[in-house]
Amino acid sequence: MHKIAIRRKYTFSYSHILVLIMLLFLLDAGSGNADMLASVQGKDVEAGGEIGRRIHITADNNLFVMDIENDFLNPFRQKDEGGGYIGLGKTIETAARLAAYTHNDSHVQFKDYLIGETLKTQEPDGYIGIVKPDARLWSLWDIHEMSYIINSLVADYQLFGQQRSLDAAQKLADYIINGWMPEPDRIPGGGDITTYMAVTGSEPAMLELYKETGEQRYLDYCTKLRKLQEWDGPIVLGRWGPIQGHAYAYIARCIAQLRLYRMEPQESLLKPTTRALDFIIKQDGLVITGTCGDHECWHDTQEGTINLGETCATAYVIRFMDELLRMEGQAKYGDIMERAIYNALFAAQSPDGRKIRYYTPFDGKRSYFDGDTYCCPCNYRRIIAELPNMIYYRKDDGIAVNLYAPSKALITDIGGTKVQIEQKTDYPNTGQVLIEVTPSKPANFELLLRIPRWAQETTVAVNGEILSKKTVQGEFFSITRKWKNGDQVRLHMPMQWRFIKGRKAQAGRVAMMYGPQVFTLDLNSNDQLKDTDLRLITIDTDSIEGPFEDESVHPNGLGCRIKAWGPGVWYPFSKQDLELTLTEFAAPGGEAAYFKVPNPNLENLVDDELIEVPKNH
């Protein structure tokens, strides 16, 4: 156990207290580096429902139909660029994770071809990239590109045991280290943007290499060159100067610090994470769809127009929450993951899977990114391939269910036996989940069920008998018993429409939610509104009808209807002159998620349950 010395006259600020609480919690969890939960890896999971559908359409209608040769591989063969970014590493990792998940021979062959062709481009000094010799390493995004290639090759080694990939990853990492270490003060990209943004992804890649090889130079890159333990980045609002407020890069560096913390626990490594969490959850950094950022950078205005919700930021919010869920075991992180996945993430892709967005606003028109390369399309595919890892987790000799979706997993060594766990559900359409627990032999272990914060009066039954133990919103519900073949757990989470009060720029307006899903007004389903200013529509919250089946976004989707007053109508005395059809936020033509209401203080309007308001606020 690590001892903490506290001086008697030390004055704690609010942020210091948050850091200390997190530090004490993690130290108590087991010598400062033991996670509370561990992911059940995608190779042992099969997902259905909308999560499963998104995984398969991303593979079949996106990854495998892209022009891999011209768009991804040829720039690495030619090596004649002055700078720039492709995203080959993220694409390789996507291919590797999807191949491990599907167990499909053709997917494995695609992955092997992609890696094989990439390794053919590696030069004797280890370089893999698109940049001509005189601009390598120091041109913008070159280290960024190389870092994700390192990460993807390590992933191939971890998932498939491919030694050639690990060897190539080490050669490439050594190229970066040998080039930068002799000139530690030189800044990649020339200093126009923050260094940590210019080399995003390099520290997690080096830490993964260190974990697999034990080679000290990879840890030294993070601690001596990049001084990861000393970074205490502020939350900078807006896009200006060296883009210090870049949300994706900031969160990526927080994740690197958390991974270093597991290896070398230091209080300083937790400060930026605590600051980012505080901003996201308590200072309006998180928007209704579960994402953050405007024009890639931190924002807290709650505006949701054209540049809201960079897809990279959405992916990293989900990844950040997964990291924290594993470390701390707190269900609130799963709540944010769920909100982001079903709304911001899925809305960043066309329903057929082919197109991907750079930004996904909730106010105004959305557009798709023109191309398959670059950060957002590649980060989207990568996080989709990681979703199977986020459904089930292990806790010592127990199993935690984080995401509710039709799925099954085979988990070894739980209570001394193998356990198959299967969910039968149409979640998130309803809150009814049947979980079948099938151990290979009777065994004692704990089953944890995440109770979402929105889920009031949730009940849990085992083999038809409702348990007397009360569920708590926003916490895991624990069942410890001797499980046997055929045991069933029924989770009943009543869903009701929630009208969520808007904050700041959305004050006086409400968003409509059903379970974890936000609903939006799509002009494709409301032709009569094509010439109407949607911001001036006022809804009648008492008139909502539904949900009903609506397959305009995806099979087995949901929609609803609600009456409203158009711009300038004398509400509430005039009859409503509009009937709106709303669909899930992933609707490709969604343009409005917040609406005016006659009385912003109605009793049926509620605060966003994911937002924690400080007690002294």
Side-chain angles (χ1 to χ4, degrees):
M1 179 65 69
H2 298 263
K3 295 180 180 179
I4 302 175
I6 303 176
R7 296 178 181 176
R8 291 182 180 179
K9 294 184 179 181
Y10 194 90
T11 301
F12 285 96
S13 68
Y14 178 65
S15 61
H16 283 124
I17 293 171
L18 286 174
V19 170
L20 185 58
I21 290 172
M22 180 181 283
L23 181 66
L24 289 169
F25 179 88
L26 291 172
L27 289 175
D28 187 60
S31 300
N33 58 5
D35 284 356
M36 298 294 291
L37 300 174
S39 294
V40 175
Q41 293 299 297
K43 64 183 178 63
D44 298 318
V45 176
E46 179 183 337
E50 186 61 4
I51 289 178
R53 192 186 79 86
R54 290 284 176 173
I55 293 169
H56 285 288
I57 64 172
T58 300
D60 297 337
N61 297 349
N62 192 286
L63 179 66
F64 298 137
V65 299
M66 299 188 307
D67 191 344
I68 289 292
E69 296 295 329
N70 289 320
D71 291 346
F72 288 89
L73 291 173
N74 281 345
F76 288 82
R77 293 164 175 153
Q78 295 162 358
K79 296 182 175 62
D80 57 4
E81 299 291 335
Y85 186 74
I86 300 296
L88 178 60
K90 295 184 179 77
T91 304
I92 291 172
E93 184 177 346
T94 300
R97 293 197 180 279
L98 288 175
Y101 168 73
T102 63
H103 307 283
N104 185 307
D105 288 344
S106 65
H107 294 180
V108 174
Q109 291 168 9
F110 175 84
K111 179 268 298 183
D112 287 342
Y113 174 78
L114 189 56
I115 292 174
E117 292 301 301
T118 299
L119 297 190
K120 287 179 183 178
T121 73
Q122 187 165 36
E123 299 197 350
D125 61 3
Y127 181 74
I128 300 175
I130 66 173
V131 176
K132 55 190 177 183
D134 62 350
R136 288 177 188 170
L137 202 68
W138 308 113
S139 65
L140 191 57
W141 309 132
D142 198 27
I143 291 178
H144 179 49
E145 183 85 65
M146 287 188 279
S147 299
Y148 279 97
I149 292 174
I150 293 167
N151 199 69
S152 69
L153 294 174
V154 174
D156 185 48
Y157 173 76
Q158 292 168 334
L159 293 167
F160 292 94
Q162 292 288 336
Q163 186 65 42
R164 68 167 184 170
S165 291
L166 184 63
D167 292 343
Q170 287 191 259
K171 286 183 64 177
L172 181 53
D174 291 345
Y175 175 85
I176 297 174
I177 291 170
N178 294 335
W180 197 355
M181 285 291 234
E183 300 182 76
D185 296 326
R186 192 168 177 183
I187 301 175
D192 291 337
I193 61 175
T194 58
T195 303
Y196 73 82
M197 179 182 171
V199 301
T200 297
S202 67
E203 291 142 353
M206 295 293 183
L207 289 174
E208 284 300 300
L209 263 183
Y210 174 69
K211 185 174 74 173
E212 295 300 332
T213 67
E215 298 287 345
Q216 184 66 31
R217 62 187 179 277
Y218 304 129
L219 183 60
D220 289 345
Y221 172 90
C222 299
T223 59
K224 294 182 178 180
L225 177 65
R226 298 297 302 123
K227 296 180 171 60
L228 193 56
Q229 70 280 6
E230 298 177 15
W231 181 68
D232 190 19
I235 296 292
V236 176
L237 299 178
R239 185 182 178 91
W240 53 278
I243 321 298
Q244 195 172 1
H246 194 272
Y248 153 36
Y250 190 105
I251 295 173
R253 199 155 210 224
C254 285
I255 290 174
Q257 286 187 316
L258 293 176
R259 293 179 181 175
L260 179 59
Y261 177 85
R262 291 176 171 94
M263 302 172 185
E264 299 183 351
Q266 298 180 57
E267 179 182 352
S268 61
L269 290 165
L270 301 178
K271 289 182 179 179
T273 283
T274 303
R275 185 177 297 117
L277 274 176
D278 187 71
F279 178 74
I280 288 170
I281 298 175
K282 299 180 180 179
Q283 299 179 39
D284 291 315
L286 190 75
V287 297
I288 191 68
T289 56
T291 189
C292 68
D294 185 84
H295 206 358
E296 301 182 341
C297 296
W298 294 120
H299 96 311
D300 64 354
T301 66
Q302 292 293 300
E303 294 172 297
T305 53
I306 186 168
N307 289 333
L308 178 93
E310 181 200 15
T311 297
C312 288
T314 299
Y316 268 81
V317 165
I318 296 167
R319 198 170 282 117
F320 189 32
M321 295 303 142
D322 166 67
E323 198 83 26
L324 290 164
L325 175 62
R326 287 184 283 111
M327 288 186 74
E328 297 182 32
Q330 294 190 42
K332 67 180 181 180
Y333 303 124
D335 290 347
I336 296 174
M337 292 167 70
E338 177 181 75
R339 176 81 67 86
I341 290 167
Y342 281 112
N343 297 288
L345 184 67
F346 288 166
Q349 183 183 45
S350 61
D352 66 357
R354 185 62 190 94
K355 299 177 181 177
I356 297 171
R357 304 184 193 278
Y358 202 104
Y359 298 114
T360 307
F362 58 72
D363 184 355
K365 294 185 181 298
R366 309 173 190 172
S367 61
Y368 292 109
F369 187 66
D370 184 17
D372 291 317
T373 65
Y374 215 56
C375 58
C376 283
C378 296
N379 246 331
Y380 180 89
R381 289 185 282 268
R382 180 170 169 246
I383 192 65
I384 284 290
E386 292 177 56
L387 291 185
N389 301 353
M390 300 176 183
I391 299 174
Y392 300 101
Y393 295 75
R394 300 176 57 120
K395 180 188 177 185
D396 299 326
D397 272 348
I399 301 171
V401 182
N402 178 46
L403 297 178
Y404 295 110
S407 58
K408 65 174 63 174
L410 182 62
I411 309 171
T412 60
D413 196 22
I414 297 293
T417 187
K418 292 182 180 179
V419 179
Q420 178 176 288
I421 183 167
E422 181 174 3
Q423 294 184 57
K424 296 180 178 179
T425 179
D426 63 352
Y427 191 92
N429 287 9
T430 73
Q432 310 298 322
V433 182
L434 172 64
I435 300 173
E436 295 183 347
V437 182
T438 308
S440 58
K441 63 181 180 181
N444 283 294
F445 58 87
E446 182 182 23
L447 179 66
L448 293 163
L449 308 174
R450 181 178 58 84
I451 309 301
R453 288 192 179 189
W454 57 261
Q456 299 181 28
E457 301 180 359
T458 295
T459 59
V460 180
V462 177
N463 296 332
E465 181 179 346
I466 296 177
L467 302 183
S468 59
K469 179 182 174 182
K470 296 294 184 182
T471 60
V472 179
Q473 294 166 247
E475 295 185 8
F476 278 104
F477 183 85
S478 172
I479 309 170
T480 301
R481 68 192 303 271
K482 188 169 187 176
W483 299 92
K484 61 184 185 303
N485 191 0
D487 281 344
Q488 294 186 338
V489 178
R490 288 189 180 273
L491 185 63
H492 174 55
M493 298 175 285
M495 283 189 182
Q496 298 177 345
W497 286 104
R498 308 192 309 287
F499 295 93
I500 309 294
K501 296 177 185 177
R503 311 185 306 278
K504 290 192 173 179
Q506 307 304 332
R509 301 160 67 80
V510 300
M512 296 171 53
M513 293 195 69
Y514 192 73
Q517 296 195 94
V518 177
F519 279 68
T520 184
L521 190 151
D522 184 343
L523 288 183
N524 293 322
S525 303
N526 296 272
D527 290 340
Q528 77 280 16
L529 300 176
K530 63 180 181 179
D531 297 321
T532 301
D533 187 340
L534 304 182
R535 300 177 191 179
L536 300 180
I537 291 174
T538 303
I539 62 171
D540 179 357
T541 59
D542 291 331
S543 67
I544 190 164
E545 298 177 6
F548 50 78
E549 185 175 328
D550 185 318
E551 297 193 343
S552 61
V553 181
H554 63 83
N556 198 35
L558 293 181
C560 70
R561 283 185 288 269
I562 193 167
K563 293 180 180 179
W565 295 275
V569 174
W570 199 255
Y571 64 83
F573 304 105
S574 298
K575 183 179 180 181
Q576 306 96 329
D577 60 328
L578 298 175
E579 183 173 77
L580 314 180
T581 298
L582 277 71
T583 50
E584 298 169 21
F585 185 74
E591 292 191 27
Y594 280 98
F595 302 91
K596 292 176 62 178
V597 288
N599 179 0
N601 296 308
L602 283 172
E603 291 184 0
N604 68 338
L605 309 186
V606 298
D607 294 324
D608 188 340
E609 66 273 359
L610 297 188
I611 304 305
E612 298 177 4
V613 179
K615 292 181 180 179
N616 61 348
H617 192 271

